[in-house]
Amino acid sequence: MYSVVERELELRLILSPERSIPVPARLSFRSDDPYAVHICFHINSDAPVHWTFARELLVEGVFRPCGTGDVRVWPTKAEGRSVVLMALSSPDGDALLEAPAAQVSAWLERTLRVVPPGTEGEQLGIDDALDQLLAR
C-alpha cells in the first residue's frame, strides 16, 4: 500500500514581465515513486499537461536556483511575495510558471514526512528483493 500527497494550487503562467495568467494545477507525490514529483495543469488545452521530475530538484529550488536542461527551479520575490519559478522546456514549447513558495514548501514538507530524504530506496523494496535473490 502506498501513500499519495496531493495539493491543488493556482500557478501563474508568465507570458511577459508585465503579463501572466492563472493556471490551476495539482502537485502529486506517491510513496511508490519516491524520487519523483508530478505536476498536472491545464493551459488552454483539451488534455491536461503532465510534468514529472525529481523531488530533490523542487526541494532545492525552494531555497536556491537549481536544475539544468528541461526543468529549472529557483526562488524569487514577485510583488513582495515569495514565489518559486519553474522553467519547463519540451519539444512542444517552453513555459515559465510561478508558484506560491509557502504552499509548495508546505506540500513538500508533507511528502518528506511520508518518505524522508535518503529513505527513498527503502520504499521501492529493492533491498528486500536483493536479499531474497541472494538468499537462494
Side-chain angles (χ1 to χ4, degrees), residues 10-14 20-23 81 85 96-100:
E10 186 175 278
L11 302 180
R12 302 217 47 98
L13 176 63
I14 310 297
S20 66
I21 57 172
V23 177
R81 298 173 299 119
L85 291 177
L96 179 60
L97 294 154
E98 176 187 292

Side-chain angles (χ1 to χ4, degrees), residues 1-50:
M1 188 68 188
Y2 61 87
S3 301
V4 177
V5 180
E6 289 188 328
R7 169 104 198 215
E8 301 282 338
L9 75 162
E10 186 175 278
L11 302 180
R12 302 217 47 98
L13 176 63
I14 310 297
L15 302 172
S16 73
E18 303 80 38
R19 197 158 160 254
S20 66
I21 57 172
V23 177
R26 182 187 316 113
L27 298 174
S28 300
F29 171 81
R30 293 170 41 148
S31 62
D32 65 337
D33 187 9
Y35 291 103
V37 293
H38 307 274
I39 301 180
C40 175
F41 44 90
H42 293 270
I43 302 181
N44 299 331
S45 56
D46 297 335
V49 176
H50 297 276

Side-chain angles (χ1 to χ4, degrees), residues 48-63:
V49 176
H50 297 276
W51 275 81
T52 299
F53 54 89
R55 175 175 71 165
E56 193 177 327
L57 192 63
L58 195 52
V59 168
E60 187 175 337
V62 168
F63 299 103

